[in-house]
């Protein structure tokens, strides 16, 4: 069953109702059709045939603010919070399947998930406040395409794959390829992310996410670093992924930084090489929250610290 209604947004928003029938009013109000399908296929069908701007609505913690400010003026909102495949977390053959509309808070409260992917939980646990995390979803964080989104470097480091459904069917894309630039995604018209697959965890694996913010809470990353690594029986790193957030137009996967760890015991020399590679990869802008030079330096510092935490987790010392 699909719920549907009309909502009116003035600019800025002063009035919203799900009761009022659709009509034009004084040119200031814009009409928004609201749909709440119960299957991903029905959601995509709505998005695909929309004649005006259409948006997926998850937690709304980014989108509603953007609508109030006039940054987005969709004529169709497709609320995906009633779609089972998008709101569930499951472990299948050692892989995790996390619905795109799973709220950050649910991930932090899932003890088995947190034990397997503590770095991803580090990241989602930093999103806003308790209230924000209760609404904000992992899919919204990725698809809002903010270069500073906290979950994105952690998900990239984890090797997460976005499962996408669109008018042409289903496809899979690594999370690092979803954002195309600030506020832009690589998703085609009618496509949405239904879930994320996180790969099976090898023994002696650990991940971590750290960010630098001027304030300890309710701030956005000036730099964010996600690191995921695996050790062999003798403590040598056999696999690593390193991702940087807030230092480029979208979160970066940095193979050169991972290469600095692979084949080492993640010792002091390897950490120095990691820091140098992370700083070299950062392509930040200057803004009021940090200069280029500061962000480049902090990229290296945070990479070392995150790798040290990931190493301790891989060794079971956390
Ligand atoms: C007070 C406050 C503090 C915040 N602090 C942080 C923070 O510390 N770190 C951080 O990273 N973010 C922060 N945010 C931003 C926001 O909470 C997150 O980005 C959140 O994860 C967005 O999820 P959502 O479900 O609310 O997305 P929505 O607002 O519903 O959607 C965001 C965008 O993604 C699109 N979208 C959503 N789901 C899908 C999907 N499945 N497929 C395709 N497109 C989709 C929407 O159409 C929209 O364009 C903060 C926001 C607020 C209001």
């Amino acid at each position: 069953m699909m719920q549907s209604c009309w909502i009116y947004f003035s600019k800025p928003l002063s009035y919203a109702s799900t009761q009022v029938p659709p009509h034009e009013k004084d040119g200031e109000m814009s009409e928004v059709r609201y749909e709440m399908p119960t299957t991903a296929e029905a959601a995509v069908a709505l998005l695909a045939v929309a004649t005006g701007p259409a948006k997926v609505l998850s937690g709304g913690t980014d989108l509603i603010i953007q609508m109030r400010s006039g940054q987005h003026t969709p004529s169709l909102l497709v609320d995906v919070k009633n779609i089972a495949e998008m709101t569930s977390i499951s472990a299948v053959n050692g892989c995790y399947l996390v619905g795109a509309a799973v709220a950050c808070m649910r991930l932090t409260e899932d003890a088995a998930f947190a034990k397997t992917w503590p770095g991803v939980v580090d990241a989602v646990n930093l999103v806003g406040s308790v209230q924000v995390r209760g609404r904000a979803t992992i899919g919204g964080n990725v698809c809002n395409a903010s270069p500073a989104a906290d979950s994105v470097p952690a998900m990239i480091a984890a090797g997460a794959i976005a499962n996408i459904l669109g008018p042409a069917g289903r496809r899979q894309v690594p999370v690092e390829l979803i954002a195309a630039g600030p506020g832009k995604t690589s998703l085609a018209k009618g496509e949405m992310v239904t879930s994320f697959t996180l790969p099976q965890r090898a023994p002696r694996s650990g991940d971590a996410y750290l960010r630098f913010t001027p304030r300890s809470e309710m701030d956005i990353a000036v730099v964010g670093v996600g690191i995921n690594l695996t050790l062999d029986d003798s403590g040598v790193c056999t696999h690593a992924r390193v991702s940087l957030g807030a230092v480029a137009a979208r979160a970066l996967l940095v193979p050169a930084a991972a290469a600095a760890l692979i084949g080492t015991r993640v010792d002091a020399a390897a950490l120095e090489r990691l820091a140098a590679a992370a700083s070299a990869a950062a392509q930040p802008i200057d803004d009021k929250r940090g200069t280029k030079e500061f962000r480049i330096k902090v990229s290296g510092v945070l990479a070392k610290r995150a790798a040290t935490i990931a190493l301790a987790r891989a060794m079971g010392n956390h």
Side-chain angles (χ1 to χ4, degrees):
M1 187 168 48
M2 191 181 299
Q3 289 176 26
S4 115
C5 61
W6 297 84
I7 304 174
Y8 292 88
F9 277 86
S10 63
K11 302 182 190 84
L13 181 70
S14 59
Y15 164 60
S17 166
T18 54
Q19 272 85 49
V20 187
H23 67 282
E24 291 295 325
K25 199 175 173 185
D26 71 28
E28 291 261 319
M29 295 259 186
S30 58
E31 198 174 75
V32 183
R33 179 181 162 206
Y34 170 89
E35 301 284 354
M36 193 184 221
T38 53
T39 66
E41 287 76 11
V44 164
L46 287 161
L47 293 166
V49 300
T51 48
K55 279 281 187 191
V56 173
L57 175 70
S58 284
T61 60
D62 282 315
L63 184 57
I64 298 294
I65 292 167
Q66 291 158 359
M67 289 172 68
R68 283 175 185 261
S69 70
Q71 186 184 336
H72 284 302
T73 52
S75 54
L76 171 65
L77 285 179
V78 179
D79 189 331
V80 292
K81 291 191 291 297
N82 218 13
I83 298 175
E85 73 170 287
M86 295 183 68
T87 51
S88 56
I89 306 173
S90 55
V92 184
N93 299 328
C95 297
Y96 262 98
L97 192 63
V98 178
V102 166
C104 295
M105 186 64 83
R106 269 192 60 211
L107 270 183
T108 65
E109 288 175 346
D110 187 315
F113 182 86
K115 189 157 184 265
T116 312
W117 291 106
V120 174
V121 171
D122 289 343
V124 294
N125 212 15
L126 286 167
V127 172
S129 58
V130 170
Q131 293 89 338
V132 172
R133 288 193 291 280
R135 295 293 299 175
T137 65
I138 187 104
N141 199 233
V142 170
C143 296
N144 189 55
S146 162
D150 281 306
S151 76
V152 179
M155 293 282 277
I156 292 173
I161 301 291
N163 300 305
I164 296 169
L165 179 66
R170 294 191 185 256
R171 66 187 180 105
Q172 293 189 308
V173 170
V175 166
E176 56 269 29
L177 299 182
I178 294 292
K184 293 193 176 69
T185 70
S186 58
L187 297 173
K189 178 177 163 62
E191 282 190 327
M192 62 178 195
V193 177
T194 55
S195 60
F196 298 95
T197 302
L198 285 84
Q200 186 167 14
R201 217 67 178 111
R204 290 174 295 285
S205 294
D207 67 330
Y209 173 80
L210 289 176
R211 72 175 186 184
F212 176 83
T213 54
R215 302 190 308 179
S216 60
E217 283 186 40
M218 299 294 281
D219 205 346
I220 54 170
V222 174
V223 178
V225 180
I227 296 199
N228 175 30
L229 56 81
T230 300
L231 308 174
D232 68 11
D233 289 345
S234 61
V236 172
C237 176
T238 54
H239 168 81
R241 284 171 68 92
V242 177
S243 176
L244 300 178
V247 293
R250 59 182 189 176
L252 302 172
L253 176 66
V254 188
L261 299 176
I262 294 169
T264 77
R265 293 180 183 279
V266 193
D267 51 17
L271 290 173
E272 288 308 322
R273 287 194 297 274
L274 165 71
S279 289
Q283 307 149 25
I285 52 164
D286 274 323
D287 70 14
K288 62 184 177 187
R289 305 177 65 258
T291 61
K292 273 188 206 172
E293 292 73 19
F294 179 73
R295 286 182 151 117
I296 287 170
K297 174 82 180 160
V298 172
S299 297
V301 173
L302 284 189
K304 278 198 286 190
R305 291 181 188 171
T308 304
I309 297 169
L311 176 66
R313 287 172 171 169
M315 295 168 73
N317 303 332
H318 60 96

